Amino acid sequence: MTELRDVYSILPELLLGALILVVITTDLFLPRRSKWLLTPLTVFGLLLAGAACIAVWGTNRSAFAGFYRVDDLSIFLKGATMLIGILSALFAPAYLRQRRLPLGEFNAILLFSLLGICVLASGGDLITLFLGLELMVMPSYLLAGFHKTDRYSNEGGLKYFLLGSFASAILLFGISWTYGLTGTTQIAQIGARLAGHGISPALVVAIGFLTVGATFKIAAVPFHYWTPDAYQGAPTPIAGFLSVGPKLGAFALLIRVFAGALGPIHADWVTVMVILSVLTMVGGNVVALTQSNVKRMLAYSSIAHTGYIMAALAAYGNAPAARAQQQAIEAMLFYVLAYAMMNIAAFAVVGMLQREPGRFGGLASFAGLASRSPGRAAAMAVLLLSLTGIPPTVGFFAKWYVLLATVDAGLSWLAVVIVLNAALAAFYYLRVIVYMYMREPDGNPAPIDHSLFGAVGLGLSVLAVVLLGVFPGVILDVVRISAASLF
Amino acid sequence: MVGGGLAVVTLRNVIHSAVAMMVCFGSLAGMYALLGAPIIAAAQVLIYLGAISVLILFAIMLTQAGDASLPAPFHRQVWLAVVAAVAVFGLIVWGAVQTDWHGATRATVLGLTAIAQAIFTTYALPFEVLAFLLLAAIIGSIFLARRPEEDERAS
């Protein structure tokens, strides 16, 4: 039965839900000139929800008849979600205003998607997980097609929607097979019932469908075809959100399903995960090398980053002992958080160079940025160095922990593949820095957006990337407690 | 049901496809009834056969101009698709036939009261999440369907 404590433990979600309603109604009554007030309102609400995450930190219990699992892992992911939400709400307004797109609808749809990620992070049951997933991705389809008078945005949104619905159906089919096999949808019981029975053909089918459905959502190769078009078509700051928000949620799904429900039979799925991880890393990086459009390059490189995070999940599957398993989950959480901060801000910088509608974020628009806007060029340089994984940025430690986890799990060759891929990625990341600092701007340089919200968001993320790179211990303790709550 | 489904994707005329889909929906309702879930069967008839089919027919009527017959898209990779579909079908049949299903749950026929109680007690949280999902869908579809001029007034 539902208790009062259950309701208290979902305080962050309740605040987020309330914020959605407040934003929708405020939007109705605000005069056109004052619409910008929605941004501080959304940010304030998300800060409150983030504070609620801190307030419920340390709760480790199942709520709502087992449908919801509130543990430190979920609270950590929810905190990261609020952070992503704050950054998205700060980066988007200027870009939307220049294209005369409505801010109220954007904020509402973004918040719906965030709520979906929170539900996903806490899913204790396959039904909750599926509903959370849909609540997360359905607003994402809308966001991808948000610029509805733009042909590319329409194309990206439609592709994302069609392929995404297809993947959801596949995942749902996998869930129904799992239910048929075990007679339950509760994560904790599925693991217990599958353990020690050996592998049956139906289990192969179930794991197969679950893997395809879930890896589609994180855009792993070979299920990544929607990614570049959806990200390139979406308004740039929204592409930043799409590349981190739904990905965070999908990794929460992977942790819950593979480490939670299928954890006891990890030997049966680890090989598939290793293969997908290698394909994703190499595939994403090789195609990213050939891109001359920075937005598309970031889209492909986000696929490569997915591969690194999947390597950590593979390390979990291959780990000989509980300690190494926990270390792999820690590496995953750290990487997801670090990646979220760097990637969303990198997309935002590309968006700032698209002040004139009709600019597509080509490499040439970065030429000579250092002399035209030193602050933004320096910020972009830090973000790109962090994405490459160069110390003392947070990106270095993120890769370092994934490497440690793979080596401790006995997958040293996978660690070598990661290092080689990071070296490959350095080429296309550093090429943008070369353009910014060593090329003269061309005759008709793109005007730069100098809005206050965007600058604040960029400053915050660069500060976080550098500070967490110098003092990774702060977040490491949080990550350790979070991962421990899974075991 | 399989015949209806095949007809939906192979028929060239959109209206014929829509009618074939109604056949598909109807036979699915029959399948639910045979499996001992009369309430779901009734809901399937009411919502899918009743509401959604009519909605689809109206949508076709309002958007189609002139000739409704269209050339089939995606025909270039049809053989590849057939191979993939047969392979997946084979995998599913293999999984279903070769498995010892002793662990599967017996279907229990639930009354309306029991279902209503379950929805508002045990399943209260998923139910509320669904409410948010529907709200998001409504706001999103209004946003997408609105004309650009109205957007400018709203922004």
Side-chain angles (χ1 to χ4, degrees):
Chain A
M1 287 306 289
T2 305
E3 299 171 42
L4 206 56
R5 276 201 303 165
D6 289 358
V7 180
Y8 175 70
S9 62
I10 61 162
L11 192 61
E13 286 91 329
L14 291 177
L15 285 175
L16 199 52
L19 179 63
I20 296 176
L21 303 179
V22 170
V23 165
I24 295 173
T25 32
T26 318
D27 181 39
L28 287 178
F29 296 109
L30 275 182
R32 206 167 148 180
R33 277 177 301 117
S34 320
K35 291 281 188 198
W36 63 272
L37 281 171
L38 287 170
T39 300
L41 175 71
T42 308
V43 171
F44 176 71
L46 285 170
L47 281 175
L48 269 188
C53 291
I54 298 172
V56 296
W57 177 257
T59 324
N60 279 303
R61 56 195 300 270
S62 279
F64 296 100
F67 281 96
Y68 224 58
R69 171 102 194 115
V70 182
D71 50 13
D72 289 336
L73 175 79
S74 73
I75 298 170
F76 171 80
L77 291 169
K78 283 173 206 167
T81 309
M82 305 306 169
L83 186 70
I84 291 173
I86 291 172
L87 290 177
S88 311
L90 285 174
F91 287 139
Y95 191 94
L96 297 179
R97 196 176 53 242
Q98 287 140 17
R99 283 156 186 76
R100 309 175 84 79
L101 293 170
L103 187 60
E105 277 83 348
F106 165 76
N107 278 331
I109 296 174
L110 173 74
L111 292 172
F112 275 118
S113 188
L114 296 177
L115 185 62
I117 304 175
C118 290
V119 173
L120 208 43
S122 264
D125 188 288
L126 291 176
I127 296 176
T128 325
L129 281 175
F130 183 73
L131 287 177
L133 183 73
E134 285 305 293
L135 185 55
M136 170 183 85
V137 294
M138 213 192 52
S140 308
Y141 307 147
L142 283 164
L143 287 178
F146 200 75
H147 196 179
K148 55 185 180 177
T149 49
D150 180 69
R151 207 163 52 85
Y152 294 101
S153 188
N154 279 330
E155 182 195 337
L158 199 61
K159 270 189 187 160
Y160 193 13
F161 170 66
L162 286 177
L163 292 173
S165 323
F166 194 58
S168 293
I170 292 178
L171 185 77
L172 199 55
F173 201 36
I175 289 176
S176 73
W177 278 79
T178 315
Y179 175 67
L181 263 175
T182 56
T184 177
T185 52
Q186 303 251 318
I187 297 282
Q189 293 177 26
I190 291 173
R193 293 197 192 175
L194 286 178
H197 270 305
I199 187 157
S200 64
L203 189 58
V204 175
V205 177
I207 295 178
F209 280 124
L210 286 176
T211 313
V212 172
T215 50
F216 182 95
K217 300 287 181 194
I218 51 169
V221 175
F223 311 112
H224 68 288
Y225 285 101
W226 56 274
T227 321
D229 292 323
Y231 291 2
Q232 197 185 13
T236 313
I238 291 179
F241 168 72
L242 291 181
S243 73
V244 297
K247 202 164 273 193
L248 176 83
F251 272 110
L253 173 77
L254 279 176
I255 292 179
R256 291 286 176 206
V257 171
F258 283 87
L262 304 178
I265 51 165
H266 56 79
D268 298 327
W269 52 260
V270 63
T271 320
V272 177
M273 207 51 79
V274 170
I275 294 171
L276 284 177
S277 150
V278 172
L279 278 180
T280 308
M281 276 188 261
V282 176
N285 273 326
V286 167
V287 188
L289 273 180
T290 62
Q291 302 299 321
S292 63
N293 182 313
V294 179
K295 203 171 162 186
R296 217 173 160 80
M297 181 270 276
L298 283 176
Y300 278 108
S301 85
S302 81
I303 297 176
H305 285 281
T306 302
Y308 304 140
I309 307 175
M310 287 176 81
L313 186 62
Y316 167 87
N318 205 50
R323 177 71 204 106
Q325 283 185 336
Q326 191 180 329
Q327 196 185 358
I329 298 289
E330 284 167 17
M332 262 182 101
L333 295 179
F334 192 95
Y335 203 108
V336 170
L337 180 70
Y339 162 78
M341 287 186 302
M342 354 190 240
N343 219 47
I344 199 169
F347 267 107
V349 176
V350 180
M352 286 173 189
L353 295 181
Q354 292 181 294
R355 218 186 102 188
E356 267 173 10
R359 296 261 177 190
F360 293 110
L363 201 50
S365 64
F366 280 85
L369 187 65
S371 58
R372 296 196 296 128
S373 174
R376 279 169 183 72
M380 187 66 175
V382 170
L383 294 169
L384 289 170
L385 289 176
S386 181
L387 282 166
T388 318
I390 291 171
T393 54
V394 73
F396 167 74
F397 284 102
K399 283 216 174 58
W400 176 248
Y401 291 125
V402 171
L403 287 176
L404 273 185
T406 42
V407 171
D408 283 354
L411 290 167
S412 304
W413 67 270
L414 192 59
V416 175
V417 176
I418 295 175
V419 172
L420 288 177
N421 267 288
L424 198 65
F427 173 73
Y428 59 77
Y429 284 134
L430 299 182
R431 189 167 58 179
V432 179
I433 299 183
V434 168
Y435 263 80
M436 288 195 301
Y437 282 90
M438 295 173 190
R439 295 280 172 93
E440 291 300 313
D442 56 0
N444 177 25
I448 301 165
D449 175 67
H450 286 285
S451 74
L452 177 67
F453 289 140
V456 170
L458 193 58
L460 279 178
S461 25
V462 170
L463 201 66
V465 163
V466 174
L467 280 184
L468 291 181
V470 181
F471 310 106
V474 185
I475 207 76
L476 210 56
D477 290 335
V478 179
V479 164
R480 191 161 292 142
I481 300 169
S482 307
S485 72
L486 194 65
F487 294 90
Chain B
M1 191 170 87
V2 174
L6 273 178
V8 173
V9 289
T10 50
L11 287 177
R12 296 292 168 88
N13 189 319
V14 192
I15 300 197
H16 293 172
S17 288
V19 176
M21 193 148 80
M22 291 171 74
V23 174
C24 194
F25 287 158
S27 32
L28 186 59
M31 196 176 269
Y32 285 140
L34 285 177
L35 287 171
I39 294 167
I40 298 180
Q44 169 81 10
V45 170
L46 274 179
I47 296 167
Y48 280 88
L49 260 179
I52 292 185
S53 307
V54 174
L55 202 65
I56 287 176
L57 284 176
F58 264 105
I60 294 173
M61 193 184 79
L62 291 176
T63 53
Q64 283 280 318
D67 189 15
S69 292
L70 293 170
F74 319 122
H75 56 278
R76 267 174 305 169
Q77 295 166 339
V78 65
W79 290 111
L80 213 60
V82 167
V83 170
V86 169
V88 173
F89 182 70
L91 181 73
I92 291 170
V93 170
W94 172 71
V97 173
Q98 293 286 313
T99 303
D100 174 20
W101 289 97
H102 65 90
T105 35
R106 285 265 153 262
T108 42
V109 181
L110 283 179
L112 204 52
T113 328
I115 288 181
Q117 256 171 6
I119 284 182
F120 290 105
T121 53
T122 324
Y123 290 82
L125 184 91
F127 188 72
E128 296 303 325
V129 175
L130 263 181
F132 268 100
L133 184 60
L134 287 179
L135 184 61
I138 291 171
I139 291 179
S141 49
I142 291 175
F143 166 70
L144 283 181
R146 206 165 54 186
R147 290 199 181 83
E149 308 91 77
E150 292 168 316
D151 273 355
E152 294 214 352
R153 233 179 296 141
S155 68

